[in-house]
Amino acid sequence: AQKVTQAQTEISVVEKEDVTLDCVYETRDTTYYLFWYKQPPSGELVFLIRRNSFDEQNEISGRYSWNFQKSTSSFNFTITASQVVDSAVYFCALISGGSQGNLIFGKGTKLSVKP
Amino acid sequence: GAVVSQHPSRVICKSGTSVKIECRSLDFQATTMFWYRQFPKQSLMLMATSNEGSKATYEQGVEKDKFLINHASLTLSTLTVTSAHPEDSSFYICSASPQSYNEQFFGPGTRLTVL
């Protein structure tokens, strides 16, 4: 069975703080893809990153970075020097090789960045 | 590129009426389209997967006679909520996949309120 766990329901930080959002996944497939999406109050899902199971390289994009560790089945997301505009719900998601595109979402982490 | 639109963005209807939501891929052909539902403060749950020209595949617990899905062309899928009830009030989001199942582009969502 596939599953995505985001243990942090809500996180509140002050602007300029760094914050890490945790994501732990479960799958028996050797081929899978992991995603992070941002959902601001408007509701639209904003794609942030996709990672395949064969690429464990960490990625940095501006203030965003992702740490993929297969050994712990984790795909954590760090925002450096957070800003108020980062306030949103963040979802981690998984597609497994045999799922025909069924995106399994975690429950999401609501991030509030206060000025 | 890879833009997906949804129409309407917001709809309010009376209980017992039917509502049609359109999902269009604007600049690519979508082999597969997905429909998700998101209740307030919850995660996205896949309702059904539709491939152009064939019947949709519904997830367990989703009534296919209540949520009619049509994927008549490679750029358009529609979701019709028949005989809507207040418990159908939710945020409905579609996504479209061009070829590979591991790539999905999301529409902006439709907020349905049934009075």
Side-chain angles (χ1 to χ4, degrees):
Chain A
Q2 291 96 35
K3 186 179 177 182
V4 175
T5 302
Q6 293 179 254
Q8 305 147 309
T9 307
E10 291 192 43
I11 300 176
S12 183
V13 299
V14 176
E15 212 171 15
K16 297 185 183 175
E17 280 185 29
D18 299 347
V19 59
T20 295
L21 310 182
D22 298 333
C23 173
V24 173
Y25 62 92
E26 291 177 35
T27 178
R28 290 181 183 163
D29 290 311
T30 54
T31 302
Y32 53 88
Y33 295 81
L34 295 163
F35 301 77
W36 275 96
Y37 291 91
K38 174 182 179 180
Q39 189 177 42
S42 62
E44 185 164 359
L45 279 177
V46 178
F47 168 82
L48 297 178
I49 190 171
R50 178 183 68 180
R51 248 306 171 251
N52 75 56
S53 52
F54 301 108
D55 183 2
E56 272 192 89
Q57 253 188 334
N58 291 332
E59 179 148 342
I60 297 175
S61 176
R63 295 184 298 108
Y64 296 169
S65 62
W66 291 268
N67 185 342
F68 177 25
Q69 290 198 350
K70 289 175 77 170
S71 61
T72 54
S73 297
S74 65
F75 187 43
N76 297 338
F77 171 35
T78 298
I79 301 175
T80 304
S82 59
Q83 299 176 1
V84 173
V85 292
D86 295 328
S87 298
V89 179
Y90 290 86
F91 291 98
C92 181
L94 163 74
I95 287 180
S96 279
S99 71
Q100 299 303 309
N102 185 354
L103 252 179
I104 307 293
F105 283 86
K107 292 190 174 182
T109 297
K110 182 178 180 181
L111 174 65
S112 298
V113 182
K114 302 191 186 309
Chain B
V3 178
V4 176
S5 70
Q6 267 184 253
H7 178 79
S9 58
R10 191 179 293 265
V11 57
I12 300 173
C13 69
K14 291 182 179 179
S15 189
T17 60
S18 294
V19 174
K20 181 186 281 189
I21 302 170
E22 290 186 351
C23 176
R24 291 182 187 273
S25 56
L26 298 185
D27 50 4
F28 66 97
Q29 293 189 325
T31 310
T32 307
M33 285 185 167
F34 304 86
W35 287 96
Y36 296 84
R37 180 168 54 185
Q38 185 181 30
F39 291 110
K41 298 188 179 181
Q42 292 190 26
S43 189
L44 284 80
M45 297 298 294
L46 180 68
M47 298 175 67
T49 303
S50 74
N51 291 295
E52 184 262 340
S54 58
K55 288 185 179 179
T57 302
Y58 289 80
E59 295 300 300
Q60 198 170 11
V62 178
E63 299 173 58
K64 62 180 181 181
D65 294 329
K66 180 167 184 61
F67 298 99
L68 301 178
I69 292 172
N70 185 288
H71 192 164
S73 76
L74 284 170
T75 59
L76 173 65
S77 176
T78 60
L79 167 68
T80 301
V81 183
T82 62
S83 186
H85 289 283
E87 57 265 30
D88 298 323
S89 298
S90 186
F91 192 54
Y92 292 86
I93 308 177
C94 74
S95 72
S97 184
Q99 274 187 321
S100 54
Y101 66 86
N102 57 64
E103 202 168 30
Q104 290 186 32
F105 300 97
F106 283 85
T110 296
R111 196 164 300 280
L112 171 64
T113 303
V114 185
L115 303 176

